[in-house]
């Protein structure tokens, strides 16, 4: 048996086929399956799938798209299911941006795609995994397609909350809200799908706090677990102003290195593919647009690297939040388990050295840092301010 809460059939995602990995989402799965089956008033042309980070919004969107194309309602085995889930199905478009936003030009391309009749499947399905990143102009371009939908087109928009989507778009969609899966359900998924040992699966699920993607990354990567341990040692090391500035510099440098490792090979491959597509290196061919296209690509790659770095810094802030949450739990004698049970001694020591009021102030400082990074404050400046605020 797994530790923690008992894993119920609903939490395991006992549904088979394309729905199997949607742990703890039985209510939403039932709604989507009814739509696929064509139940009375069950289907609509536009859906908004929301849920906390890591709850499985993108997986739900892909599973729904696959089920709509499958003759068995999402068996997970047929070619329609497999190609839809992978993005290779001709009537399923999966959109996941690596940039900071989805602009009007990209949305217009999607709208043109949505107007086409399906070639093989029952529907033309457009899944936008980051609908909260659609710009205001992009939303205006999308609105007409939602107001006057093609008869065989289904839009599936994914966002953290309904409020993250412009109200005119939100009002024209049917809402499906995902819940935060339990730690036990995530641990079961890691063992079943990724063959992760039980102890590591339980550890990763506990510290990921409902974020399936984060749990999977921690369970499968010793380097990710090591980086997390380094972050949790920071609070006790912030003893002087110099230590705070050094810690901030190290955190930003590590985030930049992590982003570089994730993007360097991809950048090179994209550049090579673009050059080949435009005929670079072909004898007698001098593509006039090559330099301009390469400049555009470089700008896109810089934006992606910036997002990867920001994501890495956000993970640091998440780990620090969990640490100070544990400190506050000890200080207030709350009846709640520690997220970072392995660091109980350090947490209790910090709880004795500080007050609940100062811990709340530190949690507020972490939130302020996250806001600063989202508003394009220089990462080093934002992290220096944070580390000084966290100094005990």
């Amino acid at each position: 048996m797994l530790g923690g809460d008992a894993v119920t059939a609903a939490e395991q995602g006992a549904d088979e086929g394309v729905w199997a990995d949607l742990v703890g989402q039985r209510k939403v799965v039932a709604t989507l399956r009814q739509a696929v089956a064509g139940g009375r008033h069950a289907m609509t042309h536009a859906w908004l799938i929301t849920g906390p980070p890591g709850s499985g919004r993108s997986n739900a969107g892909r599973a729904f798209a696959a089920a709509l194309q499958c003759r068995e309602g999402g068996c997970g085995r047929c070619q329609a299911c497999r190609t839809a889930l992978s993005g290779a199905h001709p009537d399923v478009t999966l959109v996941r941006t690596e940039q900071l936003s989805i602009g009007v030009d990209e949305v217009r391309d999607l709208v043109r795609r949505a107007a086409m009749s399906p070639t093989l499947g029952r529907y033309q399905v457009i899944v936008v995994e980051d609908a909260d990143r659609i710009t205001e102009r992009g939303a205006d371009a999308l609105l007409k397609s939602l107001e006057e939908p093609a008869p065989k087109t289904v839009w599936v928009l994914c966002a953290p909350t309904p409020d993250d989507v412009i109200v005119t778009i939100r009002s024209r969609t049917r809402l499906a809200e995902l819940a935060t899966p339990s730690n036990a359900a995530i641990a079961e998924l890691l063992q079943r799908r990724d063959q992760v040992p039980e102890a590591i699966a339980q550890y990763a699920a506990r510290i990921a706090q409902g974020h399936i993607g984060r749990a999977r990354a921690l369970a499968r990567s010793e380097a990710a677990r090591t980086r997390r341990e380094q972050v949790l040692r920071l609070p006790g090391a912030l003893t002087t102003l110099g230590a705070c500035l050094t810690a901030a510099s190290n955190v930003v440098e590590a985030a930049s290195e992590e982003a570089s490792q994730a993007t360097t090979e991809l950048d090179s491959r994209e550049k090579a593919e673009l050059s080949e597509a435009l005929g670079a290196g072909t004898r007698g061919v001098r593509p006039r647009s090559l330099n301009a296209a390469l400049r555009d690509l470089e700008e896109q790659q810089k934006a992606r690297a910036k997002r990867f770095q920001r994501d890495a810094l956000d993970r640091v802030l998440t780990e620090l939040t969990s640490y100070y949450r544990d400190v506050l739990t000890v200080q207030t004698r709350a009846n709640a388990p520690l997220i970072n049970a392995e660091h109980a001694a350090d947490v209790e020591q910090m709880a004795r050295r500080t007050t609940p009021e100062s811990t709340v102030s530190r949690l507020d400082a972490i939130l302020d840092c996250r806001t600063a990074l989202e508003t394009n404050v220089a990462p080093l400046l934002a992290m220096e301010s944070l580390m000084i605020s966290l100094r005990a």
Side-chain angles (χ1 to χ4, degrees), residues 174-193:
R174 179 173 296 177
L175 181 62
E177 296 181 279
L178 300 179
T180 300
S182 70
N183 294 347
I186 295 176
E188 187 278 333
L189 175 66
L190 294 175
Q191 293 177 71
R192 169 172 54 84
R193 184 185 63 184

Side-chain angles (χ1 to χ4, degrees), residues 353-370:
R353 291 170 52 196
T354 59
T355 65
E357 291 77 13
S358 66
T359 302
V360 171
S361 295
R362 291 181 174 89
L363 288 168
D364 287 341
I366 296 172
L367 181 60
D368 289 343
C369 182
R370 179 173 277 120

Side-chain angles (χ1 to χ4, degrees), residues 46-115:
W47 295 77
L48 176 59
I49 299 177
T50 65
S55 58
R57 297 188 304 266
S58 298
N59 286 342
R62 289 170 181 251
F64 187 36
L68 287 171
Q69 306 297 9
C70 176
R71 293 185 178 183
E72 298 180 28
C75 68
R77 302 180 303 273
C78 68
Q79 184 177 11
C81 284
R82 288 185 278 108
T83 54
L85 291 172
S86 67
H89 195 289
D91 298 320
V92 175
T93 302
L94 304 177
V95 182
R96 184 182 186 278
T97 183
E98 292 178 338
Q99 309 303 321
L100 299 178
S101 63
I102 300 176
V104 63
D105 291 338
E106 188 170 359
V107 173
R108 284 172 179 162
D109 288 340
L110 295 176
V111 169
R112 285 191 287 268
R113 174 87 182 195

Side-chain angles (χ1 to χ4, degrees), residues 19 25-33 49 60 176-179:
W19 313 104
Q25 310 300 344
R26 172 151 293 191
K27 182 178 179 180
V28 169
V29 169
T31 298
L32 298 179
R33 295 186 83 164
I49 299 177
E177 296 181 279
L178 300 179

